[in-house]
Amino acid sequence: YCFYTMRPLSAPATLYFPGETLTSHLSWVKGASERALANLTVEMVPGNHITCITQYASALVDKMKTTLDGLQE
C-alpha cells in the first residue's frame, strides 16, 4: 500500500472492501482517507480479493446498486 497516495477528492466515493482482507489493510485505507480529507465510505463485501468478484459477485452488485440508487435521491 505504500505505492498509493490519497489526494483530496471533491466527490463522494465508495470503496468496496473484501471482508476477508487483513484488518491492517482496512485501517490503512481509513487512515489514508482521513488524512486526504476524502469523503470516503467503506462498504464491506464477503470474500477475499478474488472471491468478492467471483463467488460473491451478486453481493457486490447489490451493494453497488444501493450506492448508485442513493446518489439519485
Side-chain angles (χ1 to χ4, degrees):
Y1 291 106
C2 63
F3 298 110
Y4 301 102
T5 302
M6 298 283 277
R7 299 208 193 314
L9 185 63
S10 61
T14 302
L15 173 67
Y16 300 95
F17 208 83
E20 294 177 21
T21 301
L22 297 175
T23 306
S24 61
H25 294 181
L26 179 57
S27 296
W28 179 89
V29 167
K30 287 182 176 180
S33 68
E34 289 170 2
R35 288 188 300 278
L37 302 174
N39 184 4
L40 180 69
T41 302
V42 177
E43 290 284 343
M44 302 302 289
V45 294
N48 60 35
H49 184 73
I50 301 296
T51 61
C52 73
I53 58 172
T54 56
Q55 249 180 298
Y56 302 105
S58 62
L60 176 59
V61 168
D62 290 343
K63 287 196 177 261
M64 293 175 83
K65 184 174 180 347
T66 299
T67 301
L68 292 171
D69 288 347
L71 294 175
Q72 297 181 18
E73 294 176 356

Coordinates of all heavy atoms in Angstrom, one line a residue:
Y1 N 0.8 -1.2 0.0 CA 0.0 0.0 0.0 C 0.8 1.3 0.0 O 0.3 2.3 -0.1 CB -0.9 0.0 1.2 CG -2.0 -1.1 1.0 CD1 -2.0 -2.2 1.8 CD2 -3.0 -0.9 0.1 CE1 -3.0 -3.2 1.6 CE2 -4.0 -1.8 0.0 CZ -4.0 -3.0 0.7 OH -4.9 -3.9 0.6
C2 N 2.1 1.2 0.1 CA 3.0 2.4 0.1 C 3.0 3.0 -1.3 O 3.6 4.1 -1.4 CB 4.3 2.0 0.6 SG 5.2 0.9 -0.4
F3 N 2.5 2.4 -2.3 CA 2.6 3.0 -3.7 C 1.4 4.0 -3.9 O 1.5 4.7 -4.9 CB 2.5 1.9 -4.7 CG 3.7 0.9 -4.6 CD1 3.5 -0.4 -4.2 CD2 4.9 1.3 -5.0 CE1 4.5 -1.2 -4.1 CE2 6.0 0.5 -4.9 CZ 5.8 -0.8 -4.4
Y4 N 0.5 4.0 -3.1 CA -0.7 4.9 -3.3 C -0.7 6.0 -2.3 O -0.5 5.9 -1.2 CB -2.0 4.1 -3.1 CG -2.1 2.9 -4.0 CD1 -1.9 1.6 -3.5 CD2 -2.5 3.1 -5.3 CE1 -2.0 0.5 -4.4 CE2 -2.6 2.0 -6.1 CZ -2.3 0.7 -5.7 OH -2.4 -0.4 -6.5
T5 N -0.9 7.2 -2.9 CA -1.0 8.4 -2.1 C -2.4 9.0 -2.3 O -2.8 9.3 -3.4 CB 0.0 9.5 -2.4 OG1 1.3 8.9 -2.3 CG2 -0.1 10.7 -1.6
M6 N -3.2 9.0 -1.2 CA -4.6 9.6 -1.3 C -4.5 11.1 -1.5 O -3.6 11.7 -0.8 CB -5.4 9.3 -0.1 CG -5.6 7.8 0.2 SD -6.9 7.1 -0.9 CE -8.3 7.5 0.0
R7 N -5.2 11.6 -2.4 CA -5.3 13.1 -2.6 C -6.7 13.6 -2.3 O -7.6 12.8 -2.4 CB -4.9 13.4 -4.0 CG -3.5 13.0 -4.3 CD -2.9 13.8 -5.4 NE -1.7 13.5 -6.1 CZ -0.6 13.0 -5.6 NH1 -0.5 12.8 -4.3 NH2 0.5 12.8 -6.3
P8 N -6.9 14.8 -2.1 CA -8.2 15.3 -1.8 C -9.2 15.0 -3.0 O -8.8 15.0 -4.1 CB -8.0 16.9 -1.7 CG -6.6 17.0 -1.3 CD -5.9 15.9 -1.9
L9 N -10.4 14.6 -2.6 CA -11.4 14.2 -3.6 C -12.6 15.0 -3.4 O -13.1 15.1 -2.3 CB -11.6 12.7 -3.4 CG -12.6 12.0 -4.4 CD1 -12.0 12.1 -5.8 CD2 -12.8 10.6 -4.0
S10 N -13.1 15.7 -4.4 CA -14.2 16.6 -4.2 C -15.5 15.9 -4.3 O -16.6 16.4 -3.8 CB -14.2 17.7 -5.3 OG -14.2 17.1 -6.5
A11 N -15.6 14.7 -4.8 CA -16.8 13.9 -4.9 C -16.8 12.8 -3.9 O -15.8 12.3 -3.5 CB -16.9 13.4 -6.3
P12 N -18.0 12.4 -3.4 CA -18.1 11.3 -2.5 C -17.6 10.0 -3.3 O -17.8 9.9 -4.5 CB -19.5 11.2 -2.1 CG -20.3 12.0 -3.1 CD -19.3 13.0 -3.7
A13 N -17.0 9.1 -2.5 CA -16.5 7.8 -3.1 C -16.9 6.7 -2.2 O -17.0 6.8 -1.0 CB -15.0 7.9 -3.3
T14 N -17.1 5.5 -2.8 CA -17.3 4.3 -2.0 C -16.3 3.3 -2.4 O -16.0 3.0 -3.5 CB -18.7 3.8 -2.3 OG1 -19.7 4.8 -2.0 CG2 -19.0 2.5 -1.5
L15 N -15.7 2.7 -1.3 CA -14.7 1.6 -1.5 C -15.4 0.3 -1.1 O -15.9 0.2 0.0 CB -13.5 1.9 -0.7 CG -12.4 0.8 -0.6 CD1 -11.8 0.6 -2.0 CD2 -11.4 1.1 0.4
Y16 N -15.4 -0.6 -1.9 CA -16.0 -1.9 -1.6 C -14.8 -2.8 -1.2 O -14.0 -3.2 -2.0 CB -16.7 -2.5 -2.8 CG -17.8 -1.6 -3.2 CD1 -17.7 -0.6 -4.2 CD2 -19.0 -1.6 -2.5 CE1 -18.7 0.2 -4.5 CE2 -20.1 -0.8 -2.9 CZ -19.9 0.2 -3.8 OH -20.9 1.1 -4.1
F17 N -14.8 -3.2 0.1 CA -13.6 -3.8 0.7 C -13.9 -5.2 1.1 O -14.9 -5.5 1.8 CB -13.2 -3.0 1.9 CG -11.7 -3.1 2.3 CD1 -10.8 -2.3 1.6 CD2 -11.3 -4.0 3.2 CE1 -9.5 -2.4 1.9 CE2 -10.0 -4.1 3.5 CZ -9.0 -3.3 2.9
P18 N -13.1 -6.2 0.6 CA -13.4 -7.6 0.9 C -13.3 -7.9 2.4 O -12.3 -7.5 3.1 CB -12.3 -8.4 0.2 CG -11.7 -7.4 -0.8 CD -11.9 -6.0 -0.2
G19 N -14.3 -8.6 3.0 CA -14.3 -8.8 4.4 C -13.2 -9.7 4.9 O -12.9 -9.7 6.1
E20 N -12.6 -10.5 4.0 CA -11.6 -11.4 4.5 C -10.2 -10.8 4.3 O -9.2 -11.5 4.5 CB -11.6 -12.7 3.7 CG -12.9 -13.6 3.9 CD -13.0 -14.8 3.1 OE1 -11.9 -15.3 2.6 OE2 -14.1 -15.3 2.9
T21 N -10.1 -9.5 4.1 CA -8.8 -8.8 4.0 C -8.3 -8.5 5.4 O -9.0 -8.4 6.3 CB -9.0 -7.5 3.2 OG1 -9.6 -7.8 1.9 CG2 -7.7 -6.8 3.0
L22 N -7.0 -8.5 5.5 CA -6.4 -8.2 6.8 C -6.9 -6.9 7.4 O -7.0 -5.9 6.6 CB -4.9 -8.1 6.6 CG -4.1 -9.4 6.2 CD1 -2.7 -9.1 6.0 CD2 -4.3 -10.5 7.2
T23 N -7.1 -6.9 8.6 CA -7.6 -5.7 9.3 C -6.7 -4.5 9.2 O -7.1 -3.4 9.0 CB -7.8 -6.0 10.8 OG1 -8.7 -7.1 10.9 CG2 -8.5 -4.8 11.6
S24 N -5.4 -4.8 9.1 CA -4.4 -3.7 9.0 C -4.6 -3.0 7.6 O -4.3 -1.8 7.5 CB -3.0 -4.2 9.1 OG -2.7 -5.2 8.1
H25 N -5.0 -3.7 6.6 CA -5.2 -3.0 5.3 C -6.4 -2.1 5.4 O -6.4 -1.0 4.8 CB -5.4 -4.1 4.2 CG -4.2 -4.9 3.9 ND1 -4.2 -5.9 3.0 CD2 -3.0 -4.9 4.5 CE1 -3.0 -6.4 2.9 NE2 -2.2 -5.9 3.8
L26 N -7.5 -2.5 6.0 CA -8.6 -1.7 6.2 C -8.3 -0.4 7.0 O -8.7 0.7 6.7 CB -9.8 -2.4 6.8 CG -11.1 -1.7 7.1 CD1 -11.6 -1.1 5.8 CD2 -12.1 -2.6 7.7
S27 N -7.5 -0.6 8.1 CA -7.1 0.5 8.9 C -6.3 1.5 8.1 O -6.4 2.7 8.2 CB -6.2 0.0 10.1 OG -6.9 -0.8 10.9
W28 N -5.4 1.0 7.2 CA -4.6 1.9 6.3 C -5.5 2.7 5.4 O -5.4 4.0 5.3 CB -3.6 1.1 5.5 CG -2.8 2.0 4.6 CD1 -1.6 2.6 4.9 CD2 -3.2 2.5 3.3 NE1 -1.2 3.4 3.8 CE2 -2.1 3.3 2.8 CE3 -4.3 2.2 2.4 CZ2 -2.2 3.9 1.6 CZ3 -4.3 2.8 1.2 CH2 -3.2 3.6 0.7
V29 N -6.5 2.1 4.8 CA -7.5 2.8 3.9 C -8.2 3.9 4.7 O -8.3 5.0 4.2 CB -8.4 1.8 3.3 CG1 -9.6 2.5 2.6 CG2 -7.7 0.9 2.3
K30 N -8.7 3.5 5.9 CA -9.5 4.5 6.7 C -8.6 5.7 7.1 O -9.0 6.8 7.0 CB -10.1 3.9 7.9 CG -11.3 3.0 7.5 CD -11.9 2.3 8.7 CE -13.1 1.5 8.4 NZ -13.8 0.9 9.5
G31 N -7.4 5.4 7.5 CA -6.5 6.4 7.9 C -6.1 7.3 6.7 O -6.0 8.6 6.8
A32 N -5.8 6.7 5.6 CA -5.4 7.5 4.4 C -6.5 8.4 3.9 O -6.3 9.5 3.5 CB -5.0 6.5 3.3
S33 N -7.8 7.9 4.0 CA -8.9 8.7 3.6 C -9.1 9.9 4.5 O -9.5 11.0 4.1 CB -10.2 7.9 3.5 OG -10.6 7.5 4.7
E34 N -8.8 9.7 5.8 CA -9.0 10.8 6.7 C -7.9 11.9 6.5 O -8.1 13.1 6.5 CB -8.9 10.3 8.2 CG -10.1 9.5 8.6 CD -10.0 8.8 9.9 OE1 -8.9 8.9 10.6 OE2 -10.9 8.1 10.3
R35 N -6.7 11.4 6.3 CA -5.5 12.3 6.0 C -5.8 13.1 4.7 O -5.4 14.3 4.6 CB -4.2 11.6 6.0 CG -3.7 11.1 7.3 CD -2.3 10.5 7.3 NE -2.2 9.4 6.4 CZ -2.5 8.1 6.7 NH1 -3.0 7.8 7.9 NH2 -2.3 7.2 5.8
A36 N -6.4 12.5 3.7 CA -6.6 13.1 2.4 C -7.9 13.9 2.4 O -8.2 14.5 1.4 CB -6.6 12.1 1.3
L37 N -8.6 13.9 3.5 CA -9.9 14.6 3.6 C -10.9 14.1 2.5 O -11.6 14.9 2.0 CB -9.7 16.1 3.6 CG -8.8 16.7 4.6 CD1 -8.6 18.2 4.4 CD2 -9.4 16.5 6.0
A38 N -10.8 12.9 2.2 CA -11.7 12.3 1.2 C -13.1 11.9 1.8 O -13.1 11.5 3.0 CB -11.1 11.1 0.6
N39 N -14.1 12.2 1.1 CA -15.5 11.8 1.5 C -15.6 10.3 1.1 O -16.2 10.0 0.1 CB -16.5 12.7 0.9 CG -17.9 12.4 1.4 OD1 -18.1 11.5 2.3 ND2 -18.9 13.1 0.8
L40 N -15.1 9.4 1.9 CA -15.0 8.0 1.5 C -15.9 7.2 2.4 O -15.8 7.3 3.6 CB -13.5 7.5 1.6 CG -13.3 6.1 1.3 CD1 -13.5 5.9 -0.2 CD2 -11.9 5.7 1.7
T41 N -16.7 6.4 1.8 CA -17.5 5.4 2.5 C -16.9 4.0 2.2 O -16.6 3.7 1.1 CB -19.0 5.4 2.1 OG1 -19.5 6.7 2.3 CG2 -19.8 4.4 2.8
V42 N -16.7 3.2 3.3 CA -16.2 1.8 3.1 C -17.4 0.9 3.3 O -18.0 0.9 4.3 CB -15.1 1.5 4.1 CG1 -14.6 0.1 3.9 CG2 -13.9 2.5 3.9
E43 N -17.6 0.1 2.3 CA -18.6 -1.0 2.3 C -17.9 -2.3 2.3 O -17.1 -2.6 1.4 CB -19.6 -0.9 1.1 CG -20.5 0.3 1.1 CD -21.7 0.1 2.0 OE1 -22.0 -1.0 2.5 OE2 -22.3 1.1 2.3
M44 N -18.2 -3.1 3.3 CA -17.6 -4.5 3.4 C -18.4 -5.4 2.5 O -19.7 -5.4 2.5 CB -17.6 -5.0 4.8 CG -16.9 -4.1 5.8 SD -15.1 -3.8 5.3 CE -14.4 -5.4 5.6
V45 N -17.7 -6.2 1.7 CA -18.4 -7.3 0.9 C -17.8 -8.6 1.3 O -16.6 -8.7 1.7 CB -18.2 -7.0 -0.6 CG1 -18.9 -5.8 -1.0 CG2 -16.7 -6.9 -1.0
P46 N -18.5 -9.7 1.1 CA -18.0 -11.0 1.5 C -16.9 -11.5 0.6 O -16.8 -11.1 -0.5 CB -19.2 -11.9 1.4 CG -20.2 -11.2 0.6 CD -19.9 -9.8 0.7
G47 N -16.0 -12.3 1.2 CA -14.9 -12.9 0.4 C -13.6 -12.2 0.5 O -13.4 -11.4 1.4
N48 N -12.7 -12.6 -0.3 CA -11.3 -12.0 -0.3 C -11.1 -11.2 -1.6 O -12.1 -11.0 -2.4 CB -10.2 -13.1 -0.1 CG -10.3 -14.1 -1.2 OD1 -10.5 -13.9 -2.4 ND2 -9.9 -15.4 -0.9
H49 N -9.9 -10.9 -1.9 CA -9.6 -10.0 -3.1 C -10.2 -10.7 -4.4 O -10.7 -10.0 -5.3 CB -8.1 -9.8 -3.2 CG -7.7 -8.9 -4.4 ND1 -7.9 -7.6 -4.3 CD2 -7.1 -9.2 -5.5 CE1 -7.5 -7.1 -5.5 NE2 -7.0 -8.0 -6.2
I50 N -10.1 -12.0 -4.5 CA -10.6 -12.7 -5.7 C -12.1 -13.1 -5.6 O -12.9 -12.8 -6.5 CB -9.7 -13.9 -6.0 CG1 -8.3 -13.5 -6.2 CG2 -10.3 -14.7 -7.2 CD1 -8.0 -12.6 -7.4
T51 N -12.4 -13.7 -4.5 CA -13.8 -14.3 -4.4 C -14.8 -13.2 -4.2 O -16.0 -13.5 -4.5 CB -13.9 -15.3 -3.2 OG1 -13.6 -14.6 -2.0 CG2 -12.9 -16.5 -3.4
C52 N -14.5 -12.0 -3.9 CA -15.5 -11.0 -3.8 C -16.1 -10.7 -5.2 O -17.2 -10.1 -5.3 CB -15.0 -9.8 -3.1 SG -13.9 -8.7 -4.0
I53 N -15.3 -10.9 -6.2 CA -15.8 -10.7 -7.6 C -16.1 -11.9 -8.4 O -16.6 -11.9 -9.5 CB -14.9 -9.8 -8.4 CG1 -13.5 -10.4 -8.5 CG2 -14.8 -8.4 -7.8 CD1 -12.6 -9.7 -9.4
T54 N -15.8 -13.1 -7.8 CA -16.1 -14.4 -8.5 C -17.3 -15.1 -7.8 O -18.4 -15.2 -8.3 CB -14.9 -15.3 -8.6 OG1 -14.4 -15.5 -7.3 CG2 -13.8 -14.7 -9.5
Q55 N -17.0 -15.5 -6.6 CA -18.1 -16.2 -5.8 C -19.2 -15.3 -5.3 O -20.3 -15.8 -5.2 CB -17.4 -16.9 -4.6 CG -17.3 -18.4 -4.6 CD -16.7 -18.9 -3.4 OE1 -15.5 -18.6 -3.1 NE2 -17.4 -19.6 -2.6
Y56 N -18.8 -14.1 -4.9 CA -19.8 -13.2 -4.2 C -20.2 -12.0 -5.0 O -20.5 -11.0 -4.5 CB -19.3 -12.8 -2.8 CG -18.9 -13.9 -1.9 CD1 -17.6 -14.3 -1.7 CD2 -19.9 -14.7 -1.3 CE1 -17.3 -15.4 -0.9 CE2 -19.7 -15.7 -0.5 CZ -18.3 -16.1 -0.3 OH -18.0 -17.1 0.5
A57 N -20.1 -12.1 -6.3 CA -20.4 -11.0 -7.2 C -21.8 -10.4 -7.0 O -22.0 -9.2 -7.0 CB -20.2 -11.4 -8.7
S58 N -22.7 -11.3 -6.7 CA -24.1 -10.8 -6.6 C -24.2 -9.9 -5.3 O -24.9 -8.9 -5.3 CB -25.1 -11.9 -6.5 OG -24.8 -12.7 -5.3
A59 N -23.5 -10.2 -4.3 CA -23.5 -9.3 -3.1 C -22.8 -8.0 -3.4 O -23.3 -6.9 -2.9 CB -22.8 -10.0 -1.9
L60 N -21.8 -8.0 -4.1 CA -21.1 -6.8 -4.5 C -22.0 -5.9 -5.4 O -22.1 -4.7 -5.2 CB -19.8 -7.1 -5.3 CG -19.0 -6.0 -5.9 CD1 -18.6 -5.0 -4.8 CD2 -17.8 -6.5 -6.6
V61 N -22.7 -6.6 -6.4 CA -23.6 -5.8 -7.2 C -24.7 -5.2 -6.4 O -25.1 -4.0 -6.7 CB -24.1 -6.8 -8.3 CG1 -25.3 -6.2 -9.1 CG2 -23.0 -7.2 -9.3
D62 N -25.3 -5.9 -5.5 CA -26.3 -5.4 -4.7 C -25.9 -4.1 -3.9 O -26.6 -3.1 -3.8 CB -26.8 -6.4 -3.7 CG -27.6 -7.6 -4.3 OD1 -28.0 -7.4 -5.5 OD2 -27.8 -8.6 -3.7
K63 N -24.7 -4.2 -3.3 CA -24.1 -3.0 -2.6 C -23.9 -1.8 -3.6 O -24.2 -0.7 -3.2 CB -22.9 -3.4 -1.9 CG -23.2 -4.3 -0.6 CD -22.0 -4.3 0.3 CE -22.3 -5.1 1.5 NZ -22.7 -4.3 2.6
M64 N -23.4 -2.1 -4.7 CA -23.1 -1.1 -5.7 C -24.4 -0.4 -6.2 O -24.5 0.8 -6.3 CB -22.3 -1.6 -6.9 CG -20.9 -2.0 -6.5 SD -20.0 -2.8 -7.9 CE -19.5 -1.4 -8.8
K65 N -25.4 -1.3 -6.4 CA -26.7 -0.8 -6.8 C -27.3 0.1 -5.8 O -27.8 1.2 -6.1 CB -27.7 -1.9 -7.2 CG -29.0 -1.4 -7.7 CD -29.9 -2.6 -8.1 CE -31.2 -2.2 -8.7 NZ -31.7 -0.9 -8.5
T66 N -27.2 -0.3 -4.5 CA -27.7 0.5 -3.4 C -27.0 1.9 -3.4 O -27.7 2.9 -3.2 CB -27.6 -0.2 -2.1 OG1 -28.3 -1.4 -2.1 CG2 -28.1 0.6 -0.9
T67 N -25.7 1.9 -3.5 CA -24.9 3.1 -3.5 C -25.4 4.0 -4.7 O -25.6 5.2 -4.5 CB -23.4 2.8 -3.7 OG1 -23.0 2.0 -2.6 CG2 -22.6 4.1 -3.7
L68 N -25.5 3.5 -5.9 CA -25.9 4.3 -7.1 C -27.3 4.8 -6.9 O -27.6 6.0 -7.3 CB -25.7 3.5 -8.3 CG -24.2 3.2 -8.7 CD1 -24.2 2.2 -9.9 CD2 -23.5 4.4 -9.0
D69 N -28.2 4.0 -6.4 CA -29.6 4.4 -6.2 C -29.6 5.6 -5.3 O -30.4 6.5 -5.4 CB -30.5 3.3 -5.8 CG -30.7 2.3 -6.8 OD1 -30.5 2.5 -8.0 OD2 -31.2 1.1 -6.5
G70 N -28.8 5.5 -4.2 CA -28.7 6.6 -3.3 C -28.3 7.9 -3.8 O -28.6 9.0 -3.3
L71 N -27.5 7.9 -4.9 CA -27.0 9.1 -5.5 C -28.1 9.9 -6.3 O -28.0 11.1 -6.5 CB -25.8 8.8 -6.5 CG -24.5 8.3 -5.8 CD1 -23.5 7.9 -6.9 CD2 -23.9 9.4 -4.9
Q72 N -29.1 9.1 -6.7 CA -30.1 9.7 -7.5 C -31.2 10.3 -6.6 O -32.2 10.9 -7.2 CB -30.7 8.7 -8.4 CG -29.7 8.2 -9.4 CD -30.3 7.2 -10.4 OE1 -31.5 7.0 -10.5 NE2 -29.4 6.4 -11.0
E73 N -31.1 10.2 -5.3 CA -32.2 10.8 -4.5 C -32.0 12.2 -4.2 O -31.0 12.8 -4.2 CB -32.3 10.0 -3.1 CG -32.7 8.6 -3.4 CD -32.7 7.7 -2.1 OE1 -32.2 8.2 -1.1 OE2 -33.1 6.6 -2.2

